[in-house]
């Protein structure tokens, strides 16, 4: 990648007026395809288990509903498409959309960068994007951030295109406005965090006329976006706003305070998401607020980053909650890096090394342990083996229903029992209101099923009504996410069913 940086610099020095988009596009495309092919090949040999969220998204792909407990439904639809195309439901089939969609986003970054600056900056932005550490990590597993980022970039492209024809009230403007609404709606159906970004678009338009659009076009885009998300809003209404309540609960606003360590940790973690050089470049670019372009890109990135930092200050925030800021933020950083070849090379080299190591780690590093003795990839290992043992013991004990309350168990149970006609997976809810998971919301244990059911649980996390019951089977979890924990299967006594919430 350092060679690519050199190509950009030499081209700038030798042909300062060159505007040959095809050449820059070929450089960007070769980089995108090369990185993506490497990721897909590594994905085929990936030895990690599906993470809890991934297995849950797979279940949504089978339900094909307009909503789900914790997030919007589009991620399930994407998985359904790739599993239909490949004809399988293995980890490769489920995760395949991740590297492909990131490649599509990188290509869209080229187009957006070319619109705002030129083809050279657009190509460099695409290459920087495809090698970002956060992109490298999320290309190894399927997550809601991946389609959301794609639709953010597409929405920004369509917004700029719409601004370019704001004096034209003809069909082109109407088509672009409808396309913008469709992209925003699909972004919202990818992840509700899409809603955090677009209130800042009017601010960008105020700072840069190149983002101005006709009110009639903005209104049409809003109508189309509302129509796209309406089925999901209806699903939430008919399910007691389960997704909204879950979103509020994970924000931990009920335990709000001032945690400066959390805020600093979140802000510092952003250097891990995009790489330290890109993050510093993004912040350094803010010193040049004289141009409308920089001011507008700042409006589309920095407020969201600050908003999530405040969220971390008063409660908590995960590092990926601010990823929506980096569609515009990357276009703040790229010109700054392009003017500083040493920074550019250092950034590309560091991020490329990470982009190579992470996929190889999932193939050759599953037994790698940290200095504290834990597996480096423990979050992504051991779940399949543990649940396979539980299912084998449940068959031996002639159980017809396997129950759990831990979402880590439930996700893998539903995945492994997807075509099983002898054992039904069910969620143990213990009367919790609202339901504690998607499984508890839609797949709770029914009263008539409890007579031949076994509960899968950690020995130290049993419901109070089962604590004194002997285990039907018990074992120590092997290496992975629950290493050395005692796990077992227990019969569910009738006293446990009294007052519990069973069924949707």
């Amino acid at each position: 990648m350092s060679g690519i940086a050199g190509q950009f610099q030499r081209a700038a020095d030798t042909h300062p007026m060159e505007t040959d988009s095809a050449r820059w596009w070929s450089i960007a495309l070769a980089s995108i395809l090369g990185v993506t092919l490497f990721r897909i090949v590594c994905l085929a040999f990936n030895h990690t288990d599906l993470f809890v969220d991934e297995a849950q998204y797979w279940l949504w792909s089978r339900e094909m509903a307009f909503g789900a407990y914790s997030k919007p439904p589009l991620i399930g639809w994407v998985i359904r498409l790739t599993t239909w195309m490949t004809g399988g439901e293995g980890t490769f089939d489920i995760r395949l959309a991740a590297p492909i969609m990131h490649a599509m986003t990188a290509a869209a970054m080229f187009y957006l960068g070319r619109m705002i600056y030129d083809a050279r900056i657009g190509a460099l932005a695409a290459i920087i994007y495809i090698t970002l550490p956060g992109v490298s990590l999320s290309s190894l597993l399927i997550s809601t951030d991946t389609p959301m980022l794609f639709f953010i970039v597409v929405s920004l492209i369509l917004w700029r295109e719409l601004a370019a024809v704001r004096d034209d009230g003809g069909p082109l403007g109407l088509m672009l406005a409808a396309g913008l609404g469709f992209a925003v709606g699909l972004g919202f159906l990818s992840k509700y965090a899409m809603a955090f970004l677009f209130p800042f678009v009017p601010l960008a338009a105020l700072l840069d006329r190149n983002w101005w659009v006709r009110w009639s076009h903005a209104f049409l885009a809003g109508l189309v976006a509302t129509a796209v998300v309406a089925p999901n809003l209806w699903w939430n209404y008919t399910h007691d706003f389960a997704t909204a309540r879950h979103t509020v609960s994970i924000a931990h606003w009920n335990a709000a305070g001032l945690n400066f360590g959390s805020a600093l940790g979140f802000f510092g973690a952003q250097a891990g998401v995009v790489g330290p050089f890109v993050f510093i470049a993004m912040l350094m670019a803010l010193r040049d607020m004289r141009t409308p372009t920089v001011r507008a890109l700042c409006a589309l990135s920095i407020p969201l980053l600050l908003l999530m930092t405040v969220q971390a200050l008063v409660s908590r925030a995960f590092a990926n909650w601010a990823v929506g800021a980096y569609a515009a933020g990357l276009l703040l950083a790229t010109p700054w890096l392009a003017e500083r070849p040493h920074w550019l090379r250092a950034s590309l080299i560091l991020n490329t090394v990470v982009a190579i190591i992470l996929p190889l780690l999932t193939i050759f590093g599953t037994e790698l342990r940290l200095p504290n003795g834990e597996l480096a990839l423990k979050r992504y290992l051991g779940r399949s083996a543990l649940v396979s043992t539980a299912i084998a013991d449940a068959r031996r004990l002639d159980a017809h229903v396997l129950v759990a309350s831990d979402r880590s168990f439930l996700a893998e149970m539903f995945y492994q029992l997807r075509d099983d006609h002898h054992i039904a997976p069910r969620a143990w809810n213990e009367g919790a209101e609202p339901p504690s998971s998607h499984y508890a919301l839609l797949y709770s244990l029914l009263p008539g099923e409890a007579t031949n059911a076994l509960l899968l649980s950690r020995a130290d996390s049993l419901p109070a009504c089962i604590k004194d019951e002997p285990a039907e089977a018990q074992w120590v979890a092997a290496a992975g996410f629950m290493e050395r924990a005692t796990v077992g299967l227990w019969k569910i006594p009738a006293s446990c069913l009294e007052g519990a919430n069973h069924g949707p």
Side-chain angles (χ1 to χ4, degrees), residues 372-424:
N372 63 5
E374 293 184 344
L375 288 172
L377 299 178
K378 73 171 189 174
R379 295 183 73 201
Y380 309 101
L381 298 169
R383 194 170 285 105
S384 176
L386 188 152
V387 172
S388 293
T389 300
I391 291 172
D393 280 338
R395 293 192 200 284
R396 177 177 58 80
L397 295 165
D398 199 29
H400 293 166
V401 179
L402 187 58
V403 188
S405 60
D406 188 320
R407 198 167 66 95
S408 295
F409 295 151
L410 284 165
E412 189 66 27
M413 282 165 45
F414 274 78
Y415 178 63
Q416 289 197 25
L417 293 170
R418 58 190 178 274
D419 295 318
D420 194 292
H421 302 294
H422 302 288
I423 300 178

Side-chain angles (χ1 to χ4, degrees), residues 49-100:
D49 297 338
L50 289 177
F51 187 57
V52 180
D53 291 343
E54 292 182 284
Q56 181 173 264
Y57 301 153
W58 162 83
L59 179 62
W60 299 353
S61 78
R62 283 209 162 187
E63 294 170 346
M64 288 299 288
F66 284 113
Y69 173 82
S70 57
K71 293 188 178 76
L74 188 133
I75 189 70
W77 305 349
V78 170
I79 293 171
R80 181 62 171 264
L81 176 62
T82 57
T83 55
W84 172 76
M85 290 174 62
T86 59
E89 291 183 300
T91 57
F92 173 82
D93 311 289
I94 292 169
R95 291 167 168 165
L96 180 59
I100 293 174

Side-chain angles (χ1 to χ4, degrees), residues 205-247:
L206 184 65
L207 296 170
D208 184 355
R209 288 180 58 89
N210 289 314
W211 294 91
W212 282 16
V213 299
R214 294 167 66 107
W215 281 108
S216 58
H217 290 162
F219 182 72
L220 175 59
L223 281 180
V224 173
T226 302
V228 172
V229 304
N232 177 249
L233 299 177
W234 177 255
W235 186 95
N236 270 278
Y237 173 75
T238 58
H239 290 81
D240 200 21
F241 295 99
T243 317
R245 291 196 291 173
H246 170 77
T247 302

Side-chain angles (χ1 to χ4, degrees), residues 472-483:
E472 298 296 310
Q474 201 167 50
W475 65 98
V476 176
F481 82 115
M482 206 172 276
E483 188 170 356

Side-chain angles (χ1 to χ4, degrees), residues 243-292:
T243 317
R245 291 196 291 173
H246 170 77
T247 302
V248 171
S249 70
I250 63 172
H252 281 201
W253 289 334
N254 59 338
L258 290 180
N259 189 337
F260 291 98
S262 173
L264 288 173
F266 171 81
F267 195 79
Q270 301 312 299
V273 173
V274 295
F277 294 100
V278 173
F279 189 58
I280 291 171
M282 176 179 161
L283 298 178
M284 294 298 289
L286 299 179
R287 297 192 305 173
D288 184 16
M289 297 287 284
R290 293 167 298 176
T291 65

Side-chain angles (χ1 to χ4, degrees), residues 15 74 121 143 220 398 461 486:
H15 305 287
L74 188 133
I121 296 299
S143 75
L220 175 59
D398 199 29
S461 302
T486 301

